[in-house]
Amino acid sequence: MAKVQKTQANEADRLLVIACGMIAREVLAVKERLGLDHLDLTCLPAEFHFYPDRIAPAMDKAIGKAKAEGYEHIFVGYADCGTGGLLDRVIEKHGVERMAGPHCFAFYQGMDAYAKVADDDMMSFYMTDFLCRQFDAFFMKPLGLDKHPELIKDYFGNYEKLIYLAQTDDPELDKVAEKAAALLGLAYERRSTGYGDLTPELARVAANA
């Protein structure tokens, strides 16, 4: 688990966000944008994206550790993220909240907006700023696509489109997403989402802390 990033203050007076490593940069960006000086951040490994069965037990330990350190205000920076409700059991056990929705691809778009496109996006492969930055590390090398590009059809043959959910306007990330779509043989769409529901949710829980 990543080290907590915090400023001077008593933990009891602060809000701790325990988030997926995939959204760490975004949480810190929202913190800076909103001036949430009393918000601390710690992250579980981003690779849990591929191992959702590890999220709930790791979160259980992380929340227990945070409470032992004196944190009274804790927010879980995950949606369900493939845990099949197991994460909800953990947050109910500890009496904390999490991000609403099935995954970050939903709350980045905003839950209302996602509800309107979810059915149409069923055959789409989502990418975010993080996944663009880590495309080689998260997809090419682990799946062996850098050495065996013939496996692309096996892994991505059921997708029709790559949708880049852009948190920022970065031409370099746009290029990565476009090249990824071409490499995977998928149609391409870019949606400028910003931080979606992450901004109002962090503002809300920070105000209540």
Side-chain angles (χ1 to χ4, degrees):
M1 185 169 63
K3 184 178 180 181
V4 174
Q5 296 188 17
K6 60 184 179 181
T7 53
Q8 295 179 351
N10 196 331
E11 281 84 347
D13 300 326
R14 305 186 63 76
L15 168 68
L16 176 64
V17 177
I18 306 176
C20 170
M22 286 179 58
I23 70 168
R25 182 189 293 251
E26 288 70 29
V27 171
L28 293 176
V30 172
K31 172 182 176 175
E32 181 177 2
R33 176 182 292 182
L34 299 182
L36 305 178
D37 295 334
H38 65 303
L39 185 154
D40 296 334
L41 171 67
T42 187
C43 292
L44 300 186
E47 66 181 18
F48 284 5
H49 176 76
F50 293 121
Y51 308 101
D53 59 305
R54 301 181 186 179
I55 296 173
M59 183 60 68
D60 189 20
K61 292 180 181 179
I63 295 174
K65 181 176 182 292
K67 287 187 172 182
E69 292 174 348
Y71 282 99
E72 297 180 2
H73 309 287
I74 299 171
F75 183 71
V76 173
Y78 275 87
D80 178 75
C81 296
T83 68
L86 294 179
L87 183 58
D88 284 336
R89 294 183 187 179
V90 171
I91 66 174
E92 289 170 7
K93 169 186 172 181
H94 291 284
V96 299
E97 293 182 82
R98 68 165 173 86
M99 287 295 303
H103 40 62
C104 66
F105 308 123
F107 69 67
Y108 273 148
Q109 296 183 80
M111 290 305 301
D112 291 340
Y114 175 71
K116 296 177 182 179
V117 300
D119 289 342
D120 291 338
D121 286 357
M122 286 292 291
M123 306 304 290
S124 297
F125 177 69
Y126 285 126
M127 288 186 67
T128 62
D129 283 13
F130 175 90
L131 291 174
C132 284
R133 293 188 183 95
Q134 301 296 329
F135 185 72
D136 286 343
F138 257 63
F139 297 109
M140 296 300 292
K141 293 180 180 179
L143 298 178
L145 303 182
D146 53 336
K147 296 180 179 179
H148 300 283
E150 68 274 10
L151 294 176
I152 289 176
K153 289 186 178 180
D154 293 333
Y155 287 115
F156 297 93
N158 291 326
Y159 292 107
E160 297 175 352
K161 181 191 296 185
L162 185 152
I163 300 176
Y164 170 32
L165 307 175
Q167 282 71 69
T168 57
D169 291 320
D170 186 330
E172 294 304 313
L173 297 184
D174 289 341
K175 291 178 183 178
V176 172
E178 291 168 3
K179 289 180 179 179
L183 176 68
L184 302 179
L186 303 176
Y188 177 70
E189 179 183 345
R190 183 187 189 278
R191 295 178 188 168
S192 181
T193 66
Y195 303 122
D197 288 344
L198 187 62
T199 299
E201 276 295 273
L202 291 181
R204 178 183 65 81
V205 295
N208 293 333

